[in-house]
């Protein structure tokens, strides 16, 4: 794809020689900007064509809107305890029913969605950044750096991710930021491995050789040239991470760590409701469905992105 | 080849030692005093102080770490649980087989069901098997496992009375935990298998085989599928780790007396020996399984095998 | 692939099973110590309070019990499941608080101020001479003699938590059936006799030494039941002892009966799972069920015809106390009073669904030394004014304290967050900002020690003892390392001395108890939030429920109707 574009762009410039001498860098930049823009547009177009990812995008968009406009949409204050409606079943007054303290579940879902979604996205983005940073350095640098970092990764991933998250949560205590820390640390080895694998593949590419030949500093090579090109596949992994983070954080809350009630986060709602599951199953049903739908949406989008980014699947 | 295996085993031990240090250090920072937990409400402050001394909790970090590493790796003695007062290994000898049984059954089921489903979907691309699988697997991959477990318990145990609620005893007690553990991985494996087969179907050697006039059935079963299995087997190793970790939460939901519940109660009870032992056990098994998978992967894929052989030869 | 992995795993499994190292050391684990209880705990089901022998032996009963950590019989706070069915003490006490001899010989002794058979004690001395039957055999067939009594007492003293045993000086064997107990002083304190003589299970020394696990994973006692199977973390199965040593019907107390052939203790920790198990018929009996879950089991409910519910006051003090250290904002008594006035026990009970009772004083009527007059004392606990009146008082104290809207930190344990959320909201209604700080048990015991880390804490004080003992548990200076203040940083020496006084035989007067409460309320150290109840769900066929003085149900001692009759 890269090669095709460069050729077609160069063909367009009729003043061949001069341009090639002058603004070699200038054209490069414009090239890349144009390249990437139309790349993004192309990817977007392909995603829309794919029915599954289209549905996913729409679902996620709806969820986002609902959650962003929670203050306007929520019928009640999420912490308001209506003592006459303890454990109320779904009715006209409380569309999704009320929990054991009389708080409206729909309102809590909307407000809590902010925490849950924020949690998912922050964990995924942190994971992406850290993975890209270390993975690309490791992938590009020499064998010894590679070995050391990989062994460190092995040690960290020898303790399974959930376990790590549980341990860190116990040390740091419950809470929003501590949960982000716990989930991110649990996911670091995998994101580093992923970025490293891609960096290893990219290493052999010609444009990097060219940059090296031009005496670009290693740092520049890695971050200015290589990373932008391995971001796209990483983004697929990142969207999957969003779903994992949301589910993982709610698992943590469920076992008593992570985010605790009275915060309205979806996992915390499940944790609080499990004692009343028998007589009032609606308290467990709705938060679970919320998590399911959100994670489903992100996974659909991730799938669609992957298909859209894979050139071999163009037809 | 054997040099490679020996080298990897050595790395394994080293990694485990580092993991032991890691887990020890993490537990060091957890606030809370085990002696106080054990005697809370009953013993006086002197009792608590005496107990701390007895358990060696007043020794400096290095001393405690050294003792732990020595006992664990040289004497294979993980000490006694602070809460249960019995040797940790005894308890683990009972619980680990249960958790592993759960894990192995889950993996076996998820491979036996998932992979054929995925292959089938890939072979009938865009047919109803494919579309159906995509949708269903999407849902099962996205569903939070513990929530699914809760809903299953509500449906099958409480409303229908078909299955027992919790604990172990008969084979019926195992059904729900296994299903809860497996559904996600079946979906995962199916998708993996499907995309692996699709990738392979575009590979050059397949086109070549077809060009050579090989029968389509042979193209699929003799050339495509075996090659497609390689990345799938690789992923199975990760599956195992994932299943072991997810079983921690599943065990809590079903009150299944395995390593997961043992560890969770130990974490809240600040029962350090138990936490360390459980984590090390799980880490050891995960590492061994991964090593096994890597070796099988290497054995099956002649390209990688050649690489290792060449690498070993170079080292000489 | 699967084969290779399986082989590797099998190998490792074998390796690990081979490396079993036993390192058992004795010791029960801690819980509230229990003393004798004068009060008759309310029984609201007449059927189960009158023992009427039915003569029917039930086949099996499955009981839900909190998971055991080991089967050790040791410790004055021993809570091993089935301990009172498998093991026996020298003396035991029923729920009516009458002490009677079990292993002690009921045909000898009796020369003591209490008039209990089985031991001699001359008033004013420190010597207690106990006589035991000469035909006691344990489940292994070993003869239990005075040497074994000495062994059991000395072992428990050296290896387990024995609260109140500092007064025990020596245990000497006189002859095969006579033992001399010497103390540092006469046992005149409340329940001191019972603390020594009803809280030590007698184990045969040879049996103990021959037990590979030293009775950690097996139970071998003298009682009417013996252990059949034990699956750690899962269940304990007991079966009727057909060779029970006491064959003389006259001396078999109800507690020593074996009216069920098999008792199956299933270890289930939380109420919801127990309810699930009731609904599927997997368990028959359970104590410790939170009352709100029992709705379906009452008569008329979905399961009302198969089970009955017995609800009793839990006797817990639901304690909210303030950090009285100067470093905390609650160090100012006006702040404390403002906070405690802002919480209305009646409102709290309503917010909890109305199944609980309000609490108007720092005591409850499940204890023998409770005085209803305390409910009428004028303080924040008993205040019954209108919300406007309340607000006026709260505002007055807030002004006196100079409250600027700072946020108070309410410390509690994880399973109490719902309740504490209600507290926080109630405080907010009166203009006091509070935030919740929930941790697990270990975390809260650590945080408590730091006077700058918390301002309010919610916890519960239980155990079935006199109220002064519950107060002692909560406010003893021995709870802190420095020993010169309470856990919530009260340095009031007069108050502490008074607490010690009311816990002695002579000082345990209504006057002193009232004075202690007055000081508590004057200085606003703490408040009792509400009174909760617990429920027992038992099968319809149970016509009589036997509970001993520690409120532990002995399934073998209960009476059952013949379902086919």
């Amino acid at each position: 794809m890269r090669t095709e574009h460069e050729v077609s762009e160069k063909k367009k410039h009729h003043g061949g020689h001069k341009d090639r001498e002058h603004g070699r860098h200038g054209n490069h930049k414009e090239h890349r900007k144009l390249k990437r823009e139309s790349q993004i547009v192309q990817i977007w177009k392909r995603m829309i064509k794919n029915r599954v990812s289209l549905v996913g995008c729409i679902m996620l968009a709806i969820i986002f809107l609902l959650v962003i406009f929670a203050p306007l949409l929520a019928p009640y204050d999420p912490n308001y305890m209506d003592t006459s409606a303890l454990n109320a079943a779904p009715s006209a007054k409380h569309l999704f029913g009320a929990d054991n303290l009389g708080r409206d579940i729909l309102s809590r879902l909307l407000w809590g969605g902010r925490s849950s979604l924020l949690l998912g996205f922050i964990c995924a983005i942190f994971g992406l950044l850290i993975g890209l940073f270390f993975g690309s350095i490791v992938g590009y640098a020499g064998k010894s750096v590679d070995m050391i970092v990989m062994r460190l990764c092995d040690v960290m991933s020898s303790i399974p991710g959930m376990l790590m998250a549980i341990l860190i949560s116990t040390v740091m205590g419950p809470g929003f930021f501590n949960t982000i820390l716990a989930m991110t640390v649990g996911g670091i080895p995998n994101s580093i491995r992923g970025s490293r694998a891609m960096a290893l593949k990219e290493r052999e590419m010609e444009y990097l050789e060219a940059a090296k030949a031009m005496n670009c500093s290693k740092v520049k090579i890695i971050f200015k040239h290589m990373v932008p090109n391995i971001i796209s596949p990483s983004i697929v992994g990142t969207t999957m991470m969003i779903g994992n983070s949301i589910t993982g954080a709610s698992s943590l809350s469920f076992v008593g760590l992570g985010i605790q009630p009275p915060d309205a986060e979806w996992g915390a709602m499940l944790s609080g409701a499990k004692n009343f599951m028998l007589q009032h199953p609606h308290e467990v049903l709705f938060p679970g469905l919320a998590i399911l739908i959100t994670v489903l949406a992100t996974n659909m989008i991730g799938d669609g992105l992957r298909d859209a980014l894979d050139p071999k699947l163009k037809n | 080849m054997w040099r490679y295996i020996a080298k990897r085993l050595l790395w394994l031990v080293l990694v485990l030692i580092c993991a032991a240090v890691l887990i020890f250090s993490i537990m060091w920072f957890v606030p809370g005093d085990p002696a106080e937990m054990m005697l809370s409400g009953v013993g006086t402050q002197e009792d608590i102080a005496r107990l701390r001394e007895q358990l060696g909790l007043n020794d400096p970090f290095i001393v405690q770490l050294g003792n732990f590493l020595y006992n664990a790796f040289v004497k294979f003695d993980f000490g006694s649980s602070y809460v249960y007062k019995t040797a940790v290994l005894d308890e683990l000898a009972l619980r680990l087989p249960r958790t592993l049984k759960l894990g192995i059954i889950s993996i076996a089921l998820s491979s036996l069901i998932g992979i054929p489903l995925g292959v089938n979907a890939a072979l009938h691309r865009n047919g109803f098997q494919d579309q159906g699988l995509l949708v269903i697997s999407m849902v099962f991959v996205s569903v939070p496992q513990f929530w699914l477990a809760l809903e299953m318990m509500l449906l099958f145990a409480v409303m229908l009375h078909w299955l027992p609620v919790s604990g172990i005893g008969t084979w019926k007690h195992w059904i729900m935990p296994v299903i809860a553990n497996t559904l996600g991985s079946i979906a995962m494996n199916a998708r993996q298998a499907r995309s692996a087969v699709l990738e392979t179907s575009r590979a050059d050697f397949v086109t070549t085989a077809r060009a050579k006039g090989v029968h389509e059935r042979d193209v699929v079963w003799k050339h495509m599928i075996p090659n497609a299995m390689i990345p799938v087997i690789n992923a199975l190793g990760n599956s195992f780790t994932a299943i072991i970790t997810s079983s921690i939460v599943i065990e809590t939901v079903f009150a299944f007396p395995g390593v997961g519940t043992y560890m969770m109660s130990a974490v809240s009870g600040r029962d350090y020996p138990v936490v360390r032992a459980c984590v090390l056990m799980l880490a050891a098994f995960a590492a061994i399984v991964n090593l096994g998978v890597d070796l099988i992967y290497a054995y099956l894929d002649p390209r990688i095998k050649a690489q290792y052989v060449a690498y070993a030869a170079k080292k000489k | 692939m699967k084969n290779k992995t399986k082989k590797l795993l099998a190998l490792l499994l074998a390796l690990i099973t081979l490396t079993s190292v036993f390192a058992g050391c004795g010791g029960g684990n801690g819980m509230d110590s229990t003393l004798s209880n004068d009060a008759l705990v309310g029984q609201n089901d007449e059927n189960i309070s009158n023992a009427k022998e039915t003569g029917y032996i039930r086949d099996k009963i499955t009981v839900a019990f909190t998971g055991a950590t080991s089967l050790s019989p040791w410790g004055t706070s021993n809570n091993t499941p089935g301990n009172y069915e498998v093991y026996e003490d020298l003396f035991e006490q029923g729920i009516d608080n009458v002490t009677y001899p079990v292993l002690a010989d009921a045909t000898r002794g009796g020369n003591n101020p209490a008039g209990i058979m089985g031991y001699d004690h001359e008033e004013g001395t420190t010597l207690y001479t106990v006589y035991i039957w000469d035909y006691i055999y344990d489940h292994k067939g070993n003869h239990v003699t005075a040497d074994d009594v000495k062994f059991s007492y000395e072992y428990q003293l050296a290896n387990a938590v024995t609260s109140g045993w500092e007064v025990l000086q020596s245990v000497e064997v006189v002859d095969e059936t006579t033992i001399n107990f010497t103390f540092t002083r006469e046992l005149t304190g409340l329940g001191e006799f019972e603390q020594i003589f009803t809280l030590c299970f007698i184990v045969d020394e040879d049996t103990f030494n021959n037990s590979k696990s030293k009775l950690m994973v097996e139970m071998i006692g003298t009682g009417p039941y013996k252990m059949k199977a034990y699956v750690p973390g899962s269940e304990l199965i007991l079966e009727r002892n057909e060779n029970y040593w006491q064959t003389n019907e006259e001396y078999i107390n109800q507690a020593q009966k074996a009216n069920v052939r098999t008792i199956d203790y299933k270890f289930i920790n939380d109420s919801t799972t127990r309810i699930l198990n009731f609904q599927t018929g997997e368990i028959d009996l359970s104590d410790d069920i939170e009352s709100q879950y029992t709705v379906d089991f009452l008569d008329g409910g979905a399961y009302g015809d198969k089970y009955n519910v017995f609800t009793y006051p839990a006797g817990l003090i639901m304690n909210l106390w303030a950090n009285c250290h100067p470093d905390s904002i609650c160090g100012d008594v006006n702040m404390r009073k403002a906070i405690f006035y802002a919480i209305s026990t009646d409102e709290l009970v309503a917010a909890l669904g109305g199944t609980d009772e309000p609490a108007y004083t720092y005591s409850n009527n499940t204890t023998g030394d409770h005085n209803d007059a305390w409910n009428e004392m004028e303080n924040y606990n008993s205040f019954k004014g209108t919300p406007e009146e309340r607000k006026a008082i709260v505002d007055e104290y807030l002004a006196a304290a100079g409250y600027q809207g700072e946020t108070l930190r309410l410390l509690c344990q994880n399973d109490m967050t719902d309740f504490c959320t209600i507290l926080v909201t109630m405080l907010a209604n009166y203009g006091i900002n509070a935030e919740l700080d929930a941790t697990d048990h270990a975390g809260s015991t650590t945080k408590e020690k730091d006077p700058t880390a918390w301002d309010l804490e919610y916890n519960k004080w239980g155990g079935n003892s006199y109220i002064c003992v519950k107060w002692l548990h909560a406010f003893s200076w021995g709870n802190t390392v420095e020993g010169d203040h309470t856990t919530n940083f009260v340095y009031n020496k007069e108050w502490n001395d008074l607490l010690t006084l009311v816990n002695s035989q002579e000082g345990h007067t209504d006057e002193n108890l009232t004075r202690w409460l007055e000081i508590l309320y004057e200085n606003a150290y703490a408040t009792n939030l509400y009174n909760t109840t617990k429920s027992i769900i038992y099968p319809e066929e149970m016509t009589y429920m036997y509970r001993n003085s520690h409120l532990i149900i002995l399934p073998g001692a209960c009476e059952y109707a013949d379902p086919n009759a």
Side-chain angles (χ1 to χ4, degrees), chain C residues 83-155:
Chain C
N83 49 2
Y84 282 96
E85 296 281 25
V86 177
Y87 292 104
E88 295 177 312
D89 312 276
L90 291 173
F91 296 86
E92 279 174 12
Q93 231 187 5
I95 203 172
D96 50 5
N97 287 312
V98 171
T99 307
Y100 59 91
V102 177
L103 293 179
D105 190 334
T107 59
R108 294 193 279 164
N111 305 318
N112 52 68
I116 302 175
M117 295 304 291
Y119 77 103
D120 285 333
H121 167 66
E122 198 183 310
E123 196 164 356
T125 66
T126 60
L127 173 68
Y128 292 73
T129 307
V130 177
Y131 307 99
I132 60 173
W133 300 96
D134 60 0
Y135 51 90
I136 308 174
Y137 290 89
D138 75 0
H139 301 145
K140 275 268 186 283
N142 289 329
H143 189 200
V144 175
T145 62
D147 285 311
D148 300 309
V149 174
K150 177 177 158 87
F151 165 73
S152 302
Y153 269 85
E154 290 180 343
Y155 190 86

Side-chain angles (χ1 to χ4, degrees), chain B residues 84 86 91 94-95 98, chain C residues 66-72 80-81 213 215-219 226-238 264-265 267:
Chain B
Y84 285 63
T86 52
E91 192 64 31
L94 285 170
R95 290 178 180 255
R98 288 182 205 138
Chain C
T66 320
T69 55
S70 78
L71 295 182
S72 159
T80 300
S213 67
L215 296 183
M216 292 302 255
V217 294
E218 52 180 346
M219 299 170 87
K226 47 185 183 175
M227 182 183 107
K228 184 166 169 206
Y230 174 52
V231 182
S234 182
E235 70 189 322
L236 170 70
I237 303 181
L238 303 179
D264 185 354
Y265 286 97
F267 302 149

Side-chain angles (χ1 to χ4, degrees), chain B residues 261-296:
Chain B
T261 38
Y262 196 35
M263 207 187 60
M264 289 307 295
S265 63
V267 166
S268 60
R270 305 294 190 267
D271 199 345
Y272 298 154
V274 174
V275 178
R276 293 180 211 142
C278 287
V279 172
L280 270 182
M281 280 299 155
L282 291 178
F285 273 102
I288 290 173
V289 166
N290 277 319
L291 177 59
V293 164
D294 271 355
L295 291 177
I296 292 167

Side-chain angles (χ1 to χ4, degrees), chain A residues 104-165:
Chain A
D104 179 43
I105 290 186
L106 176 58
S107 314
R108 285 174 72 74
L109 279 182
L110 290 175
W111 280 91
R114 296 177 152 206
S115 318
S116 303
L117 283 177
L118 202 61
L119 199 79
F121 276 90
I122 294 183
C123 288
I125 292 180
F126 273 7
L128 174 69
L129 291 175
I130 295 180
L132 269 183
F133 186 76
F134 287 106
S136 52
I137 294 180
V138 158
Y140 190 75
K143 265 240 144 55
S144 44
V145 174
D146 186 35
M147 246 200 9
I148 297 177
V149 175
M150 281 323 287
R151 290 309 143 221
L152 281 178
C153 270
D154 275 349
V155 171
M156 271 189 77
S157 58
S158 69
I159 302 181
M162 187 61 183
L163 209 48
M164 192 59 123

